[in-house]
């Protein structure tokens, strides 16, 4: 049973510190990245990271305040099989100044190859992490496309074996993004395997209540106070205003759109 939360404002501030503030819209431009950076330093403390397209990493690096990490995506969003191309993406992103790499594992390959799929995912993660110079790597499993809990757990185990630092639910680009059920599977996979790794729900998180539910679930599964910026991230953009409102920095209007 999850512990009741008595101080919503304090929880909202903690959730802000765990937020990967994201703009992966197809229409994103440098001006949008600049606005994202401005939003990342909030009246209630900085977010954990911004997450942007690789083509904007070099632009964002000198503009991003110290203490906020710079994340980007590779093999995004479709999870292709070309490991060499993905490695080149990761290498360039690292050279441009990325701190973290969110890799879409080749979930179509994993699903198609059945027994051989986990080995492909493990090696893909390992190769991409090496190409990125060992930077923090979040393996996006696209759990909404897998559906079967056993498959999700197997993909997570393979990614952890390859060196993933986080298991991430989804790209936010498919019909089903993060759910509490799939987040629980990823958390239980990390706990069961014993790897020192975190979990990142992403996509569809639009309110304080959404974000808090994942935070409380993480602490339920992993233990009290486990969920902090080093182990727990939220991939979202539209939720920030609501978190700030609950933290006391502004009026509350339930977000209706966003990643």
């Amino acid at each position: 049973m999850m512990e009741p939360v008595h101080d919503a404002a304090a929880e909202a501030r903690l959730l802000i510190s765990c937020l990967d503030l994201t703009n992966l819209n197809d229409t994103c431009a440098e001006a949008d990245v600049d606005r994202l950076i401005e939003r990342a330093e909030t009246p209630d403390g900085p977010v954990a990271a911004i997450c942007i397209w690789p083509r904007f990493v070099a632009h964002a690096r000198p503009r991003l305040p110290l203490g906020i990490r710079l994340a980007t995506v590779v093999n995004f969003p479709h999870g292709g099989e070309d490991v060499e191309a993905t490695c080149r993406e990761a290498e360039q992103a690292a050279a441009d100044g990325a701190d973290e790499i969110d890799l879409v594992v080749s979930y179509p390959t994993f699903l198609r190859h059945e027994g051989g799929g986990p080995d492909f995912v493990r090696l893909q993660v390992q190769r991409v992490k090496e190409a990125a110079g060992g930077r923090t790597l979040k393996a996006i499993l696209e759990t909404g496309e897998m559906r079967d809990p056993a498959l999700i757990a197997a993909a997570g185990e393979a990614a952890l074996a390859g060196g993933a630092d986080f298991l991430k639910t989804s790209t936010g680009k498919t019909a089903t993004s993060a759910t509490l059920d799939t987040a629980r599977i990823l958390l239980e996979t990390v706990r069961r395997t014993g790897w020192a790794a975190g979990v990142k729900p992403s996509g569809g998180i639009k309110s304080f209540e959404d974000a808090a539910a994942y935070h409380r679930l993480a602490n339920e599964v992993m233990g009290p106070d486990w969920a902090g910026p080093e182990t727990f991230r939220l991939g979202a953009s539209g939720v920030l205003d609501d978190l700030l409102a609950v933290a006391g920095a502004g009026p509350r209007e339930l977000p209706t759109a966003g990643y």
Side-chain angles (χ1 to χ4, degrees):
M1 173 111 21
M2 290 180 279
E3 293 294 325
V5 175
H6 300 291
D7 190 340
E11 187 172 21
R13 288 190 289 271
L14 176 59
L15 291 168
I16 290 168
S17 76
C18 295
L19 182 62
D20 283 3
L21 188 62
T22 300
N23 189 331
L24 295 171
N25 296 331
D26 293 338
T27 58
C28 185
E30 286 185 355
D32 299 308
V33 173
D34 292 342
R35 283 190 287 272
L36 198 73
I37 291 170
E38 290 174 5
R39 296 182 67 212
E41 277 201 304
T42 86
D44 285 290
V47 301
I50 65 166
C51 186
I52 56 177
W53 291 106
R55 62 183 178 272
F56 298 121
V57 169
H59 172 82
R61 180 74 276 169
R63 293 167 171 80
L64 193 65
L66 292 175
I68 300 175
R69 296 176 69 80
L70 179 49
T72 192
V73 292
V74 298
N75 207 29
F76 189 94
H78 301 301
E81 292 187 9
D82 191 340
V83 177
E84 295 297 334
T86 305
C87 285
R88 289 193 295 271
E89 275 190 288
E91 185 175 10
Q92 185 62 57
D96 287 343
D99 300 305
E100 302 179 352
I101 304 293
D102 288 29
L103 159 71
V104 184
V105 304
S106 184
Y107 62 90
T109 305
F110 173 82
L111 293 171
R112 187 169 63 249
H113 285 214
E114 298 180 350
D119 284 338
F120 186 95
V121 168
R122 175 179 57 80
L123 292 171
Q124 182 184 39
V125 170
Q126 181 180 320
R127 292 275 314 281
V128 173
K129 184 162 183 175
E130 289 171 355
R135 283 161 176 76
T136 297
L137 189 143
K138 308 187 198 95
I140 307 173
L141 304 183
E142 205 65 283
T143 53
E145 297 298 294
M146 292 188 182
R147 298 182 178 86
D148 184 341
L151 288 175
I152 294 169
E157 289 174 10
L160 292 171
D165 299 290
F166 280 79
L167 299 181
K168 178 176 172 180
T169 58
S170 39
T171 61
K173 301 289 188 180
T174 58
T176 303
S177 294
T179 68
L180 289 170
D181 287 343
T182 54
R184 179 182 288 277
I185 295 167
L186 300 189
L187 289 160
E188 290 176 345
T189 300
V190 171
R191 185 185 64 184
R192 183 180 66 255
T193 58
W195 292 98
V199 169
K200 177 180 172 180
S202 63
I205 301 167
K206 298 179 180 179
S207 69
F208 165 75
E209 287 78 10
D210 292 340
Y214 287 106
H215 172 237
R216 297 169 197 177
L217 174 66
N219 284 334
E220 175 197 339
V221 174
M222 303 300 290
D225 301 322
W226 177 86
E230 298 304 314
T231 55
F232 176 74
R233 298 286 182 85
L234 295 163
S237 59
V239 75
L240 179 57
D241 287 342
D242 200 44
L243 295 180
L244 288 169
V246 174
R252 190 173 190 207
E253 296 180 7
L254 189 65
T256 57
Y259 176 85

